[in-house]
Amino acid sequence: MDSPPDSPGAQNAQMSPEKAYFPGQPKSLEGIAIRSFFLGIALALSVVAMALVLVFTSSPLWRLPFFIAALSTFHFFEFWTTAKYNTPVANIGSFLLTANWPAYAIAHVTASLECLFTKLLFPDRSWAPLYSGHIILLLGFIMVLVGQFVRSAAMVQAGQSFNHTIQHRKKDTHALVTTGLYSYLRHPAYFGFFYWGIGTQMVLGNPFCFIGYTIVLWKFFSSRIRHEEALLVRFFGDDYIHYKQKVGTLIPFVG
């Protein structure tokens, strides 16, 4: 027999959130709040540290807090764009903090250590060829900013047709997006992250990680795009084939 609508049991049932939002679950509100809080703290501290180094010293070590600020911003926007424009799939994993673990973490730790040690041991040495350090730094800044904008904007525009994991079944909400950014870039979110990642290493002044990031990111997206496009052809048939023929990726030698 059902409880009366105004009984304590019925009220508790109505007020209880779904189990997925409980602590320890994929959509845990506690987990989302904690990650958002610490990303905000990391961004704020990084901006303050960068400003202090620039104002009070001539050290190139401001680049390291810039990298942390860029990472914090990236991971926040990964979750925010998913939560707002593809709400049904948003969960703790949407922050991408543990994506491709542990390789992803190792890459960023290695980049941070290369920047730290080279700037401490060789603070006045430029690794850029032909005194092009300032040009490379400016180009790196542009790539980070443009890469972040393009990736986030692509996720916004695709809405529920974008997912952090490759989908092997076509959902009812899955549409072939060919307008806006997608009319110029076949995989704008991948384009954005590819150049964002390379740009961070140019800002850091990391010659070794610049090469490493470029190789690893190219191999990752080359393989991922091949796999994903085989599924997209299955989902959308000739429509995707014609779209692929007209629009490139602007990632070298990919598509």
Side-chain angles (χ1 to χ4, degrees), residues 8-204:
Q11 290 178 359
N12 289 336
Q14 292 172 359
M15 294 171 61
S16 296
E18 295 182 12
K19 186 178 179 181
Y21 298 97
F22 280 25
Q25 299 301 315
K27 294 177 179 284
S28 167
L29 298 180
E30 175 212 27
I32 291 169
I34 289 173
R35 286 161 177 79
S36 299
F37 174 78
F38 280 108
L39 285 174
I41 291 295
L43 176 59
L45 291 177
S46 298
V47 170
V48 171
M50 184 168 55
L52 290 175
V53 173
L54 286 170
V55 171
F56 294 107
T57 76
S58 59
S59 171
L61 280 175
W62 62 266
R63 299 170 188 240
L64 189 53
F66 171 83
F67 182 48
I68 297 172
L71 281 171
S72 302
T73 302
F74 168 78
H75 287 291
F76 170 77
F77 274 114
E78 287 299 294
F79 179 81
W80 181 81
T81 50
T82 304
K84 184 171 177 63
Y85 296 97
N86 194 5
T87 308
V89 303
N91 57 46
I92 289 176
S94 300
F95 283 103
L96 293 191
L97 289 168
T98 56
N100 298 302
W101 189 269
Y104 182 76
I106 291 172
H108 292 328
V109 170
T110 302
S112 299
L113 290 175
E114 181 180 351
C115 177
L116 179 64
F117 286 126
T118 55
K119 300 304 180 289
L120 286 176
L121 297 176
F122 311 103
D124 300 319
R125 181 169 182 177
S126 174
W127 303 94
L130 303 175
Y131 305 98
S132 58
H134 293 301
I135 296 175
I136 291 176
L137 178 61
L138 177 60
L139 185 58
F141 271 125
I142 293 172
M143 289 169 66
V144 170
L145 294 174
V146 171
Q148 179 65 70
F149 173 79
V150 171
R151 180 170 175 85
S152 296
M155 292 173 64
V156 168
Q157 187 176 358
Q160 293 191 21
S161 293
F162 181 90
N163 201 298
H164 284 127
T165 57
I166 294 178
Q167 302 298 292
H168 291 81
R169 290 186 178 181
K170 184 177 180 294
K171 297 180 180 179
D172 293 337
T173 57
H174 198 170
L176 177 59
V177 182
T178 60
T179 57
L181 282 172
Y182 289 83
S183 65
Y184 302 101
L185 298 165
R186 199 163 75 241
H187 293 280
Y190 298 163
F191 166 93
F193 187 81
F194 179 78
Y195 288 104
W196 177 92
I198 295 173
T200 60
Q201 300 313 297
M202 294 170 70
V203 174
L204 288 175

